[in-house]
Amino acid sequence: MPLLLIVLLPLLGGLLPIMSSNERRGACAAVAAAPVLIALAVALHHAGAVLDGEVFRQAYSWIPALGLDLAMRLDGLSLLFVLLILGIGLLIIVYARYYLLASDNAPRFYAFLLLFMAAMLGIVMADNLLLLWFFWELTSLSSFLLIGYWYHQSDARKGARMALTVTGAGGLALLAGLLLLGHIVGSYDLQVVLDSRDMIQADPRYLPALLLVLLGAFTKSAQFPFQFWLPHAMAAPTPVSAFLHSATMVKAGVFLLARMHPALAGSPEWLYLVGLTGLVTLLYGAYFALLKYDLKGVLANSTISHLGLITLLLGLDNDMATVAALFHILNHAIFKAALFMTAGIIDHETGTRDIRKLQGLWRVMPLTAAVAIIAGAAMAGVPYFNGFLSKEMLLAESLDTQLLGGLAWLIPALVTLGSLLSAAYAVRLVYNVFFHGPTPELPKTPHAPPKLMIAPGLLLAALCLVIGILPAPSVTALLTAASDAALTGGAPELHLAVWHGLNLPLLMSAVALFGGVALYWQRRHLFAFQRQFGARDARLLFEASVQGLVHGTQRVIDALENGSLQRYMLWLVITILCLVGGTLLGATELRGPLPLQPLDGLLIAGAGIAIFAGLATAILHRRRLISLLMLSIVGLMTSLAFARFSAPDLALTQLAVEVVTMILLMLALFFLPQRTPKESGAPRILRDVLMASAFGGIVASLNFAVLTRPLESISHFFIDNSVPGGGGHNVVNVILVDFRGFDTLGEITVLCIAAVGIYKLLNRLRLFMPSSDAEGRPWSRDRHPLILISVSQTILPLALLVSIFIFLRGHNAPGGGFIAGLVTAVALILLYIAHGVDWCQRRMSFQYQPIAVAGVGVATLTGLGSWVFGYPFLTSSFGHFHIPLIGDIELATALLFDLGVYLTVVGATLMILANLGKLTTAHRPSKQKEKEKA
Amino acid sequence: MEALFSMTTGVLAACGLFLALRGRTFPVVVGLTLLSYAVNLFLFSMGGLTTAGAVVIEEHGGDYADPLPQALVLTAIVIGFAMTAFSVILAMRARGDLGSDHVNGNRLDEPREESS
């Protein structure tokens, strides 16, 4: 049976509650529980073999190029966690059915819960480092949704954001660490990594990789100094806390430590980093758990403390300590889930979680009290409860460690202190709430909870007792299988028993228990001591740092992005100057090995005119018309340059485009101010001139450097294949319509889109129309000069004929769709200029938009046509045909494609220019008119 | 010849950039057009400067001008026209809607000098 099913069932099952109704809570909980139950059954189906030492591994290739496989494994360690996640998850589903208020959205809750469950299962079953990380991030995201479930409360939102920030940042560190590990080992396959311990630890990248992985684990498991997010995550509904902070979310961190233990542990770095972090967290959490007044606050800090305990055990780095860690993971999950559930019941039934207000509750809720007493005793480490066993193992192992070298005696002393504090807060939690006098006035009159609400707690309490009294038969097999996976040398022989005889650990246990009770008795001294310190709210600090970050970033953005396009342009140029200039600085010599070609007079004259005109365009820019005329000279010289350097296609195109560009800019200038006001001061001009000169210098140097170096072109392919493959002798045209036809299709589409965009911009545009030029001279009345009218009419048929000629010969001689289209467009525009819009409108009453669109359509259909014959998109074919009177001609489907190009160019150009021209007349584009027409 | 060609592209690029850094839309459009001439010449020259090269495939072969940069530049010229048209009409629209032809879209024809 596929292992993936265990993850997929909750993942897809999360959709079921969404489809059920919020009113029928029972049904909603039932459909949420169903996939979990089935997944549990699948897991149990494999359990027998796993306990016998088998490791199931199944992989599907996902993104092999990245080394990411959908690989699942089920070994003892996975099984332990799978059972915890699914088992406790199931109880939480039942519990939440009664916990959620009528105003809460239960389907949403269950959907998030199942999503989170799936993510957790993914972490513990992943057999690929990247996949593990993927699920790791998914738990961060889904826990964000769960913690922020009551999103109308500011606490919940802030708590969720804090948890996401801390665990998300840790997740990124983890990714970096896992990538490093993958690079060291050369594979992301978990088994390969686990088997490469020596290779990893000998690598210089071991320490950074270890640090990054630990950062991920410590943030997730709320280890000091990242513990602060966990108490604030208590703003979540209690079932969420019970699930996230007992069996799942925070356990992901310690799971990762256990999972990577065979590969990463065994070094002094691991011993100190993991061991000391665990120790500090253990004491920190225990101390603050004792001081909190909020029930869930106590439990949150106690969770931190117990996670510290587990981390410490994993850090101690000997086999029995690792077994103890796994055992405590199991025990802690059971008793902490039960305690959270009782805290939720108390909150639900009394309306408060404040320990100062609660007392004597055992009378009204005896079953709840029983669960709390049993789970509390387990937490305190009382014999015959499960917590006792793992704590005893910790005490025993702490006596036998190399941590801190000569000061190693500190470890058992501090661990005993931690246990003492743990006993004290457990006593306080249970005794203050359930005993300690009569039941007081409470926000709600307390009742016993519904039977099914307390049932999950009872079940967990019973488990505490079963494991506590009969450890050997109940958990030995599971623990052995789990530690087998977490240890390189296999699991040690396990002899779990309550009674090991009178020894030092037992004495330490006794000291912790009785010391704890004594500390509870005298706790007012501790409270008085703590009051001397100012209260520091981690959330305020966190919020302040987040706000600081936001403001700092805002300042940087404001400095860079002040709304001035000129400034952005400047930054862009500076970046180019730095990047390209830097590269040029690195070159040893600007001039390459190629000999220079000789100069001639014509070239010098042409370049001189271009340079002169370019400079004049810039210098005279405030007199716009003159500047524009100078620009057109540059355009003409560019066109001549193309002709001079053997590119007739380019020369023709440039010439035609030059004409339409000039007409366009002249038209635009009519609507814009004729002069540019003097705005820039001398420093500004100097700055821009310097910038521009530097830019020009770099462009020139780069160009020269390229031109004097030998060229390795791929063009010989096109030259060789143009005739046999494309059936055309004009290589440029064959490249456009055949080899790179797809690019051309994209380009004419862009052209068409630009034209449509312009059409929309012109729509209902109302501009001031000057009646005179800049000098105040009125525009001439003679709008349509007679000579131009006659010439343009005469030229039109000729121009159209020429454009057809250019179009048809394009495949074999300079020409083609682009040039032909431009020539046609120029001829038509000349007609507009000569006769005016009214005259043309009467004779050409069609719109140009459909022509442009039809062009793109024809080109696309030509491309699609090759599909009909079973060839890839835009495959062309050609053949020779004999037509009477005309003779042999060669026809290619590329010609059809070129027709599309031709139509698009004609349509788009006229769409732009004719519509712009119409602005001066009654034919201006407007919505009003379109409606009238319709 | 190479030096002269490079110098020309350099000067055109410099003039284009200078205009593109101006504050009013029309010089910016003119500058962008000038810059696109420079860029097209630059791109074209990446295939080398061939004098009297063959442009179509002939039986006896010959010294072909590199067709690939030509094809690239040909479409670049047409697209460049579309871009120029779009930006100049955007500028007109901005003037119609905002009453100003300043590139930063300042209303009421008030120049906003950046505070640098």
Side-chain angles (χ1 to χ4, degrees), chain A residues 839-911:
Chain A
W839 188 89
C840 296
Q841 199 70 27
R842 280 199 298 275
R843 286 159 182 82
M844 298 186 285
S845 61
F846 46 87
Q847 297 275 317
Y848 295 108
Q849 291 85 305
I851 298 181
V853 175
V856 178
V858 167
T860 314
L861 283 177
T862 312
L864 289 176
S866 46
W867 275 357
V868 177
F869 300 98
Y871 290 105
F873 188 60
L874 275 175
T875 311
S876 70
S877 81
F878 61 93
H880 291 268
F881 301 91
H882 182 80
I883 298 175
L885 294 180
I886 297 176
D888 263 338
I889 67 158
E890 188 179 298
L891 283 176
T893 54
L895 197 68
L896 211 55
F897 183 79
D898 222 10
L899 180 67
V901 174
Y902 171 82
L903 289 175
T904 313
V905 172
V906 173
T909 313
L910 281 169
M911 217 163 128

Side-chain angles (χ1 to χ4, degrees), chain A residues 388-400:
Chain A
F388 170 75
L389 297 162
S390 41
K391 193 164 281 186
E392 193 85 338
M393 287 165 86
L394 165 69
L395 293 169
E397 292 313 315
S398 70
L399 290 167
D400 178 31

Side-chain angles (χ1 to χ4, degrees), chain A residues 25-48:
Chain A
R25 290 289 166 87
C28 189
V31 293
V36 180
L37 259 178
I38 303 172
L40 192 59
V42 175
L44 287 174
H45 171 78
H46 290 90

Side-chain angles (χ1 to χ4, degrees), chain B residues 40-103:
Chain B
N40 286 343
L41 282 173
F42 182 88
L43 266 184
F44 167 69
S45 72
M46 290 301 107
L49 300 176
T50 318
T51 306
V55 289
V56 293
I57 309 275
E58 286 153 27
E59 303 257 317
H60 49 80
D63 183 15
Y64 293 106
D66 196 339
L68 192 59
Q70 293 190 32
L72 289 179
V73 172
L74 201 152
T75 46
I77 293 173
V78 180
I79 293 279
F81 163 68
M83 188 207 70
T84 307
F86 193 84
S87 49
V88 80
I89 285 166
L90 194 64
M92 286 169 58
R93 182 86 206 193
R95 189 178 187 225
D97 290 1
L98 302 170
S100 156
D101 71 334
H102 198 277
V103 285

Side-chain angles (χ1 to χ4, degrees), chain A residues 598-609:
Chain A
L599 273 174
D600 59 51
L602 216 54
L603 268 175
I604 298 175
I609 294 173

Side-chain angles (χ1 to χ4, degrees), chain A residues 204-470:
Chain A
R205 289 169 288 183
Y206 167 64
L207 189 61
L210 177 69
L211 281 173
L212 289 166
V213 170
L214 289 184
L215 207 56
F218 289 170
T219 48
K220 200 80 160 182
S221 277
Q223 296 296 299
F224 187 84
F226 307 109
Q227 82 293 342
F228 57 88
W229 69 265
L230 199 145
H232 293 285
M234 291 298 138
T238 305
V240 172
S241 310
F243 194 45
L244 263 60
H245 305 133
S246 68
T248 53
M249 171 87 165
V250 293
K251 289 285 165 63
V254 286
F255 166 80
L256 186 73
L257 294 181
R259 178 54 100 202
M260 302 309 289
H261 193 270
L264 297 178
S267 64
E269 290 94 338
W270 172 280
L271 183 69
Y272 276 86
L273 283 170
V274 181
L276 288 184
T277 307
L279 187 63
V280 172
T281 313
L282 163 68
L283 292 170
Y284 177 95
Y287 179 71
F288 283 99
L290 189 54
L291 295 171
K292 293 290 172 198
Y293 293 111
D294 179 10
L295 268 183
K296 282 178 80 176
V298 174
L299 291 175
N301 280 288
S302 116
T303 301
I304 294 175
S305 167
H306 281 270
L307 288 165
L309 192 159
I310 297 166
T311 308
L312 170 63
L313 277 169
L314 287 165
L316 287 179
D317 205 13
N318 65 50
D319 291 359
M320 273 319 276
T322 307
V323 176
L326 295 173
F327 194 17
H328 200 69
I329 287 175
L330 175 70
N331 291 335
H332 175 253
I334 294 173
F335 67 67
K336 193 50 69 64
L339 282 172
F340 268 116
M341 284 181 187
T342 56
I345 291 173
I346 292 166
D347 188 15
H348 202 255
E349 298 300 327
T350 66
T352 180
R353 297 194 313 236
D354 192 331
I355 295 181
R356 286 166 297 189
K357 292 181 188 157
L358 295 163
Q359 56 186 22
L361 286 180
W362 72 273
R363 287 185 194 83
V364 279
M365 36 181 87
L367 277 176
T368 313
V371 172
I373 291 167
I374 293 170
M379 182 161 77
V382 179
Y384 296 108
F385 296 92
N386 62 354
F388 170 75
L389 297 162
S390 41
K391 193 164 281 186
E392 193 85 338
M393 287 165 86
L394 165 69
L395 293 169
E397 292 313 315
S398 70
L399 290 167
D400 178 31
T401 175
Q402 306 92 41
L403 188 59
L404 294 183
L407 294 175
W409 58 271
L410 262 175
I411 309 291
L414 289 173
V415 167
T416 314
L417 176 64
S419 308
L420 187 151
L421 289 167
S422 173
Y425 66 70
V427 174
R428 174 164 172 257
L429 188 72
V430 174
Y431 187 79
N432 271 25
V433 172
F434 290 99
F435 305 98
H436 207 259
T439 320
E441 280 293 308
L442 288 166
K444 282 203 274 188
T445 313
H447 295 286
K451 282 204 179 56
L452 272 173
M453 190 176 186
I454 189 65
L458 278 171
L459 196 66
L460 290 170
L463 265 177
C464 285
L465 280 170
V466 170
I467 298 177
I469 296 169
L470 300 166

